[in-house]
Amino acid sequence: MTPPDIALLATVVGSIVLFGGAAAIALGWAFRDGQFDNFDQGSKSIFGPDEPVGEATDAFPGINVEVEEATAPW
Amino acid sequence: MPVMTAPEPVRHDRVKSAAERAAIDASCRGPVLVFASSAVFWLLMGSMLALIASFKLHIPYFLTGSPELTFGRVRMAHLQSVGIGWASLAAVAACLWLMCRLSRAELMYPKMLYLAGALWNIGVFLAVFGIIFGAGQSVEWLDAPPYAPPFFVAALGIVSAWTVAVFRRRREPHLYVTQWYILGAIFWFPWLYLVAQFTIFWAPVTGVVQPIVNWWFGHNVLGLWFTPVALGSAYYLIPKIIGRPIHSYYLSIIGFWSLALFYSWAGMHHLIGGPIPAWLATASTVGSMMMFIPVLAVAINHHMTLLGHFHRLRYSPALRFTVFGAIAYTLVSFQGSLMALKEVSKTAHFTHYIVAHAHLGAYAFVTMIFFGLFYYMIPRLTGREWVSSVLIRIHFWCAAVGITTYFAALSIGGWWQGRMMNNPDIPFARIVMYTQPHLLTRSLAGLLLTTGHIAFAISFVMNLAGWGKQRSGGPTLFVEPQATYPPGPPSL
């Protein structure tokens, strides 16, 4: 085997070990930490008291979504 | 009508939560704006280079006087400007801001990220102008001159370390799906980049292994760098903007892990028909087919989350761009999987059809979602509203019509170009002439896209300059509580 072959083999094997290992560790941690225990709770983690579920948080400048929706003809 | 006031504890919680979010946004404001501003600059530069390259294909004597502006150099410089410049810098801005917000953690030592921003921009500058002045390397996606990559590697190292540091300081115990995608991206991209640099330039492998590594890298830049960050952004923006949790959080996690498992197989379908081992191309085709799993998971999730809320597209600029990008993700992924089939590849290979597909992914999907993210993120960082709805609408319609026209023109032209090239009875010159109207249409679409980018850049600069209205509802509450408006539907 030439030096480039050895370098390539080391890269491929190293990558498999590194990435396979990292994925296994990440999955193991997620299960142990209870990340997959409550999906309903997880999906709501981006909301908070200031931006709760049910409240739109973006609009064109000068538009109030609630007012627009209340007055929309459709 | 009596004024309804929220009970005191709820109001207190809102104020406290808004203050925490404002402090988090303030902590990452400087670095994120540095990455975002330079991203916009390289978008404009990339657009100009793209226009020059595009016009040259149907006006062959356009700017022929200087070697710096030959098609080969300008096209490579465009790719570096929009790939490593615009899209990557926007991706870094997204990673930093989203990770801070979702971890509910403030960014520490932001000065190191200013250094990373400077290094990255020096790298892009050297890449773009090095290529223009003749120092490019003929490896797709890695065409930067050899003196540019060390800057990217150093900057990437800092960005990845800081993103992980924010994650480790998190106050939010749950790891939201966006964070999975971001952590994946900042882990995968440095690895891809280093391995590709190592095996192609620093300790070059020989023979067909070089193009194999090249396309493994080239394809994965989209799939394991831009795609996870863009999808992560969409998974944050869509539910957040409409105020509704993701339809199926379970599906979103399946989507992430199946992307992680299958995407990196797919790059070899670029070499179908080439002199690579048959099993490698076949394995890649299988990997491409398996990509239907994450794509369907994401498509179902985004569509079902939006169901009943499509009317909000009229009101939210960020949602418009993001949903356009999410739809394009489904299309480009389905198309990409089908293009991995040998029968399809036989016609599509080496034609403008591939260029159309690449832009459907890099622009209609990734760039549109990043535009959406910017429209949501920038006002929350600067504390200023966007100055003009008109400019935003110009941007959206130019981008949407432009990329649709671009895709249609090159897909149709490219497919028939492939059919004709497979017929030995058709002279090559006739095929070239056949593609001319399609290439002209592509240039017109490019003009539209550039017009949109200029409108976007004007909005962006005006916002940074503080011309936008300061929000009265606090830095993160963007709904005016007492505003009155004339009745009737808003204009599109």
Side-chain angles (χ1 to χ4, degrees), chain B residues 37-243:
Chain B
S37 311
S38 40
V40 175
F41 171 80
W42 289 113
L43 175 70
L44 292 178
M45 176 66 83
S47 306
M48 274 174 42
L49 293 166
L51 280 179
I52 294 171
S54 181
F55 275 103
K56 276 172 171 288
L57 285 180
H58 53 87
I59 310 173
Y61 296 104
F62 179 59
L63 297 176
T64 46
S66 79
E68 286 79 21
L69 295 176
T70 47
F71 176 83
R73 295 191 193 179
V74 172
R75 189 255 166 200
M76 283 158 77
H78 156 71
L79 182 59
Q80 290 295 311
S81 187
V82 295
I84 306 297
W86 151 249
S88 291
L89 287 163
V92 171
C95 287
L96 292 173
W97 184 68
L98 288 169
M99 188 54 90
C100 286
R101 274 204 155 199
L102 292 168
S103 301
R104 289 175 49 216
E106 291 167 20
L107 188 72
M108 299 295 285
Y109 307 113
K111 283 180 185 165
M112 281 300 284
L113 286 165
Y114 291 126
L115 175 67
L119 288 171
W120 200 302
N121 277 289
I122 292 169
V124 184
F125 178 85
L126 291 175
V128 170
F129 288 95
I131 289 168
I132 286 177
F133 288 105
Q137 305 185 93
S138 56
V139 182
E140 181 83 351
W141 275 104
L142 291 165
D143 9 37
Y147 42 78
F151 289 93
F152 300 135
V153 171
L156 254 179
I158 297 171
V159 166
S160 297
W162 256 244
T163 311
V164 172
V166 171
F167 172 70
R168 287 184 61 83
R169 297 181 65 250
R170 67 192 182 280
R171 290 198 291 267
E172 170 59 50
H174 181 73
L175 187 56
Y176 188 64
V177 62
T178 300
Q179 288 165 289
W180 279 113
Y181 277 112
I182 289 174
L183 288 171
I186 57 138
F187 188 51
W188 291 323
F189 186 52
W191 165 64
L192 289 169
Y193 197 75
L194 280 173
V195 169
Q197 286 290 336
F198 180 71
T199 51
I200 294 181
F201 299 118
W202 300 339
V205 289
T206 52
V208 292
V209 183
Q210 271 205 15
I212 287 171
V213 175
N214 183 193
W215 279 109
W216 168 80
F217 173 78
H219 202 77
N220 285 341
V221 170
L222 185 70
L224 295 179
W225 172 230
F226 298 140
T227 296
V229 181
L231 282 184
S233 301
Y235 266 123
Y236 179 74
L237 291 173
I238 293 174
K240 192 77 177 163
I241 291 171
I242 66 175

Side-chain angles (χ1 to χ4, degrees), chain A residues 15-32 36, chain B residues 180 187-188 256-257 260-261:
Chain A
S15 293
I16 291 169
V17 171
L18 178 68
F19 279 81
I25 289 169
L27 260 179
W29 168 81
F31 276 109
R32 279 198 313 279
F36 302 143
Chain B
W180 279 113
F187 188 51
W188 291 323
F256 168 78
W257 283 101
L261 192 60

Side-chain angles (χ1 to χ4, degrees), chain B residues 76-410:
Chain B
M76 283 158 77
H78 156 71
L79 182 59
Q80 290 295 311
S81 187
V82 295
I84 306 297
W86 151 249
S88 291
L89 287 163
V92 171
C95 287
L96 292 173
W97 184 68
L98 288 169
M99 188 54 90
C100 286
R101 274 204 155 199
L102 292 168
S103 301
R104 289 175 49 216
E106 291 167 20
L107 188 72
M108 299 295 285
Y109 307 113
K111 283 180 185 165
M112 281 300 284
L113 286 165
Y114 291 126
L115 175 67
L119 288 171
W120 200 302
N121 277 289
I122 292 169
V124 184
F125 178 85
L126 291 175
V128 170
F129 288 95
I131 289 168
I132 286 177
F133 288 105
Q137 305 185 93
S138 56
V139 182
E140 181 83 351
W141 275 104
L142 291 165
D143 9 37
Y147 42 78
F151 289 93
F152 300 135
V153 171
L156 254 179
I158 297 171
V159 166
S160 297
W162 256 244
T163 311
V164 172
V166 171
F167 172 70
R168 287 184 61 83
R169 297 181 65 250
R170 67 192 182 280
R171 290 198 291 267
E172 170 59 50
H174 181 73
L175 187 56
Y176 188 64
V177 62
T178 300
Q179 288 165 289
W180 279 113
Y181 277 112
I182 289 174
L183 288 171
I186 57 138
F187 188 51
W188 291 323
F189 186 52
W191 165 64
L192 289 169
Y193 197 75
L194 280 173
V195 169
Q197 286 290 336
F198 180 71
T199 51
I200 294 181
F201 299 118
W202 300 339
V205 289
T206 52
V208 292
V209 183
Q210 271 205 15
I212 287 171
V213 175
N214 183 193
W215 279 109
W216 168 80
F217 173 78
H219 202 77
N220 285 341
V221 170
L222 185 70
L224 295 179
W225 172 230
F226 298 140
T227 296
V229 181
L231 282 184
S233 301
Y235 266 123
Y236 179 74
L237 291 173
I238 293 174
K240 192 77 177 163
I241 291 171
I242 66 175
R244 182 189 199 185
I246 296 173
H247 169 70
S248 168
Y249 196 67
Y250 175 75
L251 263 186
S252 72
I253 298 293
I254 295 278
F256 168 78
W257 283 101
S258 49
L259 177 96
L261 192 60
F262 299 125
Y263 200 97
S264 69
W265 300 21
M268 288 318 101
H269 68 225
H270 284 267
L271 296 171
I272 288 173
I276 64 167
W279 67 266
L280 202 55
T282 304
S284 188
T285 303
V286 172
S288 302
M289 288 297 134
M290 296 303 278
M291 279 302 295
F292 276 117
I293 297 171
V295 173
L296 280 172
V298 171
I300 291 169
N301 237 348
H302 286 167
H303 182 81
M304 295 303 285
T305 304
L306 266 173
L307 204 63
H309 291 74
F310 282 102
H311 60 285
R312 289 195 192 271
L313 293 170
R314 302 176 77 89
Y315 309 122
S316 164
L319 190 65
R320 269 191 203 188
F321 281 98
T322 306
V323 168
F324 189 100
I327 293 169
Y329 173 68
T330 309
L331 291 177
V332 74
S333 304
F334 273 47
Q335 188 194 25
S337 292
L338 295 176
M339 283 165 69
L341 296 173
K342 289 177 183 173
E343 278 306 304
V344 178
S345 200
K346 205 163 67 181
T347 302
H349 233 59
F350 304 122
T351 69
H352 295 302
Y353 190 88
I354 304 296
V355 184
H357 173 68
H359 282 77
L360 186 65
Y363 196 98
F365 159 46
V366 172
T367 292
M368 290 297 262
I369 286 184
F370 286 162
F371 285 148
L373 178 80
F374 275 38
Y375 278 115
Y376 192 83
M377 173 177 77
I378 299 298
R380 284 156 178 81
L381 290 171
T382 60
R384 299 254 172 198
E385 187 59 274
W386 290 107
V387 173
S388 164
S389 288
V390 175
L391 281 175
I392 300 174
R393 289 191 168 95
I394 288 173
H395 179 201
F396 176 76
W397 287 112
C398 282
V401 174
I403 193 60
T404 307
T405 307
Y406 186 112
F407 176 71
L410 285 196

Side-chain angles (χ1 to χ4, degrees), chain A residues 11 15 19 22 29 35 39 42 45-47 49-51 53-62 64-65 68-69 74, chain B residues 14 17-18 21 170 173 175 187 191 240-241 243 249 311-312 315-318 376 380 386 389 476-477 480 485 489:
Chain A
T11 308
S15 293
F19 279 81
W29 168 81
Q35 293 292 333
F39 286 113
S45 66
I46 58 171
F47 300 98
D50 62 325
E51 293 174 346
V53 174
E55 199 170 278
T57 59
D58 187 58
F60 277 99
N64 183 320
V65 177
E68 289 289 351
E69 286 188 338
W74 52 86
Chain B
R14 277 185 84 107
S17 179
R21 216 184 289 274
R170 67 192 182 280
L175 187 56
F187 188 51
W191 165 64
K240 192 77 177 163
I241 291 171
Y249 196 67
H311 60 285
R312 289 195 192 271
Y315 309 122
S316 164
Y376 192 83
R380 284 156 178 81
W386 290 107
S389 288
T476 60
L477 303 172
E480 288 280 3
Y485 303 91

